[in-house]
Amino acid sequence: SYDYEQPVSKSARQLSQISSQLLASPTSPRIALVGHSMGGLVAREWTENESLRDARIAALFTIGAPHGGSNWAALPPLLDLVTPGRFDVNDVIDVVMHQPSSAGLRDLKPDSPFLRQLSARGRRADVAYTTIVGTGSPIDQDQVAQIRDLLRALDRDGSVVRLVRPRIEPLLGSFDELSRGKGDGVVAATNATIHGVDDIVTVDLSHFEMVRRIPGRSDHPVWKVVADRLLNLPRNAASSGP
């Protein structure tokens, strides 16, 4: 577990330190990292940050991870303003100043300094990369259009929505995260891949279905991909992949 409100880089550093303690062994066991959503970014930061470099990492699987960011991270914390016990001055300032609520969310905003730094790094040749992308958003195109029309109407009426317009811009325009076939409801398919990684698996599942048991099914397509890749991972070397 990690604190999702803190910077992703801090979580990765903590994970690296804890693993060194828990997995200390003279035989240097290899590690396969499997990260869902923000966890995929934490795992990737640990894998690719030279200051955290760990030769034991043999494989990295990211599941619905916002490598290109998620527009959800830029939306105003309006629920904080109406949730009992959560209303305070800081929440109001967050809305008016168009700032996400935490450092962790700021890292997930498209084109954030953290994501630019992450993207600028090269892939590790000794690590086998797999990105698993979801396109099963529970919201269809008609519903997305209805949401967008409602926000445009509010915007025309000169309501409070105008105060946060810079952060609802994705909804007024394109919001692939929400569109079935283009996103998993949280992350757009185009933002869930890593540049230079060819092993991309697309599943017709929503963001949370990708890591939860599917009712009526004994198998799970995501975990089958992970298991298959691990079974085929060379025993004496990680990978010569991307």
Side-chain angles (χ1 to χ4, degrees):
S1 182
Y2 60 91
D3 182 358
Y4 67 87
E5 293 191 340
Q6 70 185 12
V8 172
S9 59
K10 183 175 182 179
S11 296
R13 188 167 298 277
Q14 290 173 338
L15 180 63
S16 173
Q17 293 169 347
I18 292 171
S19 71
S20 295
Q21 298 168 4
L22 294 179
L23 302 177
S25 169
T27 58
S28 298
R30 293 192 299 160
I31 301 171
L33 302 181
V34 183
H36 172 248
S37 197
M38 183 189 286
L41 299 184
V42 174
R44 182 180 169 193
E45 171 73 5
W46 178 18
T47 300
E48 296 182 342
N49 187 330
E50 281 295 329
S51 68
L52 304 178
R53 191 176 183 87
D54 193 325
R56 299 172 303 168
I57 298 175
L60 172 65
F61 299 86
T62 67
I63 305 169
H67 298 289
S70 172
N71 284 313
W72 280 117
L75 296 179
L78 293 178
L79 288 179
D80 288 350
L81 300 181
V82 297
T83 303
R86 290 293 303 275
F87 186 94
D88 60 37
V89 174
N90 288 331
D91 289 325
V92 177
I93 292 174
D94 281 345
V95 171
V96 175
M97 297 299 292
H98 319 306
Q99 293 297 317
S101 301
S102 67
L105 285 179
R106 288 195 290 272
D107 281 347
L108 302 188
K109 188 175 179 180
D111 201 38
S112 70
F114 167 73
L115 290 179
R116 289 199 300 270
Q117 182 182 56
L118 193 65
S119 178
R121 296 190 186 118
R123 309 289 79 79
R124 280 180 53 177
D126 60 336
V127 172
Y129 288 78
T130 299
T131 56
I132 302 176
V133 179
T135 58
S137 172
I139 301 177
D140 61 32
Q141 294 281 13
D142 289 340
Q143 290 172 308
V144 172
Q146 290 173 15
I147 294 171
R148 197 173 293 132
D149 289 344
L150 174 60
L151 288 171
R152 288 192 182 117
L154 290 172
D155 188 49
R156 287 194 298 270
D157 291 340
S159 70
V160 71
V161 170
R162 288 202 175 179
L163 289 174
V164 292
R165 197 178 200 284
R167 296 172 64 193
I168 65 166
E169 198 70 38
L171 275 174
L172 296 173
S174 172
F175 201 16
D176 287 350
E177 285 91 340
L178 278 179
S179 301
R180 186 168 187 85
K182 295 183 178 181
D184 61 19
V186 176
V187 180
T190 54
N191 286 342
T193 60
I194 303 174
H195 179 71
V197 174
D198 296 326
D199 189 12
I200 302 170
V201 180
T202 301
V203 293
D204 185 23
L205 297 173
S206 71
H207 192 68
F208 296 105
E209 285 176 334
M210 285 194 283
V211 289
R212 292 177 179 169
R213 185 181 299 277
I214 301 175
R217 293 185 58 172
S218 59
D219 63 339
H220 196 292
V222 170
W223 301 116
K224 185 178 187 304
V225 169
V226 173
D228 288 347
R229 297 297 191 278
L230 289 177
L231 284 173
N232 290 301
L233 197 67
R235 291 181 176 274
N236 299 319
S239 174
S240 58

